[in-house]
Amino acid sequence: MENKIALITGASSGIGKATAIKLAKNNYDLIICGRRKERLLELKDLLSEYVDIELLVFDVRFKSEVLKQIDSLPDRWKNIDVLVNNAGNAHGLSSFDEGDIVDWDAMIDGNVKGLLYVSKAIVPFMVENKSGHIFNISSIAGKQTYENGAVYCASKKAVEAISEGMRLDLTKHGIKITNIAPGAVATEFSEVRFKGDKEKAKKVYEGYEPLLAEDIADLILYSLKAPDRVTIADVTIFAKAQSAPTTIYKD
Ligand code: 8X3
C-alpha cells in the first residue's frame, strides 16, 4: 500500500519541523512548506531516507503564491490525506494603544487568512476523496485573551472558529478536524514575538519545563493513529507547570 501524504505549513522550524520528522518516521510522504528554502532543503535531506519529500516554498500570506504552488503539485501529490495548518506567528506583545499596525496585519494575514488560503487549496481534494484529516494549530490564546495580546489572541480565536466551522461543514465529507491549542512551547515563537531579542525570549521558558515541539507532534500522531471512528476534536495542551495563558508556576 502506498504511503499516505501529509502537507505541513511552517515546516522549517518548531512544531512544523517536529511534526515533519515524526510523520516521516511513521511512513507519511510529506509536502513540507515554508518561507525558508535552505532550511526546507536541509529537512528534506534529513527525511528522504524514510519517505518521499516534496518541497514548496511560499509565504502563506500571499494568496496567489499559495494557490499557484499547491496547484503545481504533480497529481500523485494532490491526494493529500493530512493537512497540518501550523504556519503562524506572534508579532509584538504590547498594550492595544501601543500596538503596531504592521504587526497586526502580519498576524491576521498569516494566522487567519494564510490558514484559509492553504485550506481552500487543499480541501476540494479531500472532499473528492471523501476523506482527510486537518489539524489547525491554534493556541491557548484562542481560548482566553491575555493582556497585551489582543490581536494575536483574536487571530487564534479566529482559528478556533474556523476549526468549528470546518468540522460542521466537512464532517459529511469524511474529513476530520483536530484543533490543537498549546500553551508555552519552547520554539522560536518568543524570539519572533520579541523581534529577535533572544534574552527576553529565553526568559519565557526559564524556571520550569516548557512543552517541546515534539510533544505537539506526538499529539498529532496520536490523533492520526486513533481508530477511524474516533475524532480527537479539540485539545488544550500545557506544560505541567502552566495552568492558564499567563500563569506558569516557576521555581
Ligand atoms: C503560544 C502560547 O500563551 O504565548 O500561542 O499565547 S501563548
Side-chain angles (χ1 to χ4, degrees), residues 32-128:
I32 51 175
C33 310
R35 289 166 300 164
R36 294 169 288 192
K37 190 174 181 184
E38 289 310 309
R39 288 200 188 197
L40 291 176
L41 284 169
E42 277 172 31
L43 188 59
K44 183 177 177 178
D45 274 354
L46 186 74
L47 300 181
S48 290
E49 67 167 292
Y50 302 104
V51 289
D52 291 344
I53 309 281
E54 271 283 308
L55 187 145
L56 294 180
V57 181
F58 60 74
D59 183 328
V60 296
R61 289 178 297 174
F62 301 118
K63 178 170 50 186
S64 55
E65 246 336 86
V66 172
L67 300 179
K68 195 173 89 193
Q69 293 262 359
I70 293 174
D71 191 53
S72 76
L73 283 168
D75 280 349
R76 138 163 162 72
W77 283 99
K78 284 183 177 151
N79 278 318
I80 294 163
D81 298 284
V82 178
L83 164 61
V84 182
N85 274 319
N86 162 73
N89 271 318
H91 298 275
L93 184 68
S94 41
S95 176
F96 192 86
D97 49 307
E98 288 166 0
D100 184 333
I101 287 185
V102 174
D103 287 341
W104 292 358
D105 277 341
M107 291 188 278
I108 299 295
D109 289 351
N111 303 358
V112 185
K113 292 165 74 179
L115 182 149
L116 290 172
Y117 301 152
V118 173
S119 302
K120 180 68 181 156
I122 290 166
V123 164
F125 305 134
M126 292 183 167
V127 170
E128 205 180 306

Side-chain angles (χ1 to χ4, degrees), residues 90 93 138-142 146 152-153 156 182-185 189-190 193 204-205 238 242 244-246:
L93 184 68
S138 176
S139 165
I140 187 58
Y146 50 81
Y152 178 68
C153 294
K156 291 299 186 177
V185 186
F189 175 86
S190 291
R193 166 171 267 174
V204 175
Y205 308 111
F238 279 152
Q242 184 165 16
T246 53

